[in-house]
Amino acid sequence: MPSHDFRAPRLFVDAPLAQDARVLLDRDQSNYLGNVLRLAAGAEVLAFNGRDGEWQAAIEGRKRPDGLVILQQTRPQDQLADLTYVFAPLKHARLDYMVQKAIEMGAASLQPVLTRFTQASRVNTERMRANVVEAAEQCGILSVAGVAEPLPLDRFLSQRATDRLLIFCDEAAEVQNSIQSLQDARKAGQGIDVLIGPEGGFAEEERALLLRQPNILRLALGPRIMRADTAAVAALALVQAVLGDWGGKTG
């Protein structure tokens, strides 16, 4: 298995990648390479697009970096486990943190849902996408998670595929052995939706609606009440360790 290069700068580019291909850089990328990293023509970076793996690339440009020439592949494209992180959005920096951690934990897609006690009235999905890319660049991730537009909780539940396992992290659930509960819920090839609610918790009618859903696992995250961004990391760690790709398998 190819090893990760943690020293070389990594850059996400929305262009096909193949040997000898040339990729134009946008203004922000040019500024980042030239003015922030102080790299000039001939310096090498790692480029990825979420589809074609990771590639060694050389910077081109006379006065400033304005393009890349693709040299050779360093890692083939991988595939994330079929894991969607479903969450009530938080405000500002804490939402940035939660998105970044969800990506680091291996979420393949992010789905904001609006509940009665959701704190953020507006959700900046472009900023979320920027945080997804930044986390992927910094952590050697090859697959770029999708970011869906926010949906009311009831609409999300009515639209989701019922063969997917819905892991409902509920602060009101009885504390049991979380690992055993996840092991008991395992089904081969099944997609997973992990749901974390707002810090104000779910309204009773929302909880009742959730508990009527098919293929649901109601899960307590231990005896302590966590902030929503902490609960995200805890829940995704549990799910990845028992049902996800931490054991070397996907799905």
Side-chain angles (χ1 to χ4, degrees):
M1 178 178 180
S3 61
H4 294 231
D5 183 349
F6 291 105
R7 295 181 298 276
R10 297 182 77 245
L11 197 67
F12 172 79
V13 293
D14 190 12
L17 296 176
Q19 189 169 353
D20 299 326
R22 280 177 161 76
V23 176
L24 292 177
L25 299 175
D26 62 32
R27 180 178 297 180
D28 289 341
Q29 292 171 327
S30 176
N31 177 69
Y32 173 68
L33 294 178
N35 297 327
V36 178
L37 297 183
R38 302 290 184 183
L39 298 178
E44 293 185 356
V45 299
L46 297 174
F48 70 106
N49 61 7
R51 304 182 299 273
D52 301 322
E54 181 184 77
W55 293 76
Q56 188 178 28
I59 296 174
E60 293 186 314
R62 293 184 178 181
K63 295 183 178 180
R64 61 181 179 84
D66 57 22
L68 300 175
V69 57
I70 307 303
L71 303 177
Q72 61 183 354
Q73 190 177 63
T74 54
R75 286 190 289 160
Q77 185 62 41
D78 62 8
Q79 183 177 356
L80 294 171
D82 187 4
L83 174 61
T84 297
Y85 178 55
V86 186
F87 60 97
L90 303 174
K91 292 182 178 179
H92 308 305
R94 291 185 56 214
L95 177 59
D96 294 344
Y97 172 88
M98 187 169 66
V99 168
Q100 291 163 3
K101 299 310 155 188
I103 298 310
E104 292 175 34
M105 300 298 289
S109 58
L110 306 179
Q111 174 63 69
V113 291
L114 306 177
T115 70
R116 175 183 290 189
F117 301 126
T118 296
Q119 295 179 336
S121 58
R122 288 184 291 180
V123 181
N124 187 338
T125 52
E126 286 305 311
R127 179 167 175 155
M128 288 176 57
R129 291 186 181 97
N131 276 298
V132 166
V133 168
E134 182 179 352
E137 288 177 335
Q138 292 180 352
C139 296
I141 297 168
L142 298 181
S143 297
V144 179
V147 177
E149 292 299 317
L151 289 174
L153 176 62
D154 57 350
R155 188 183 305 172
F156 163 73
L157 293 174
S158 69
Q159 293 179 0
R160 66 179 295 273
T162 56
D163 61 340
R164 296 177 64 83
L165 175 63
L166 175 60
I167 299 176
F168 167 32
C169 299
D170 185 4
E171 71 278 4
E174 181 182 353
V175 176
Q176 296 179 337
N177 186 326
S178 300
I179 293 175
Q180 187 62 56
S181 296
L182 289 166
Q183 289 174 335
D184 292 343
R186 182 193 299 271
K187 290 183 181 178
Q190 185 180 51
I192 301 172
D193 298 327
V194 177
L195 172 63
I196 297 286
E199 296 211 322
F202 290 100
E204 284 308 310
E205 63 269 23
E206 292 171 337
R207 180 174 286 107
L209 175 63
L210 283 162
L211 294 177
R212 291 197 299 269
Q213 300 304 305
N215 208 10
I216 186 170
L217 171 63
R218 188 184 189 194
L219 192 69
L221 297 176
R224 287 163 289 279
I225 299 297
M226 302 177 187
R227 289 167 55 147
D229 44 353
T230 307
V233 177
L236 290 169
L238 278 169
V239 171
Q240 286 286 47
V242 180
L243 303 179
D245 60 10
W246 284 14
K249 297 180 181 180
T250 60

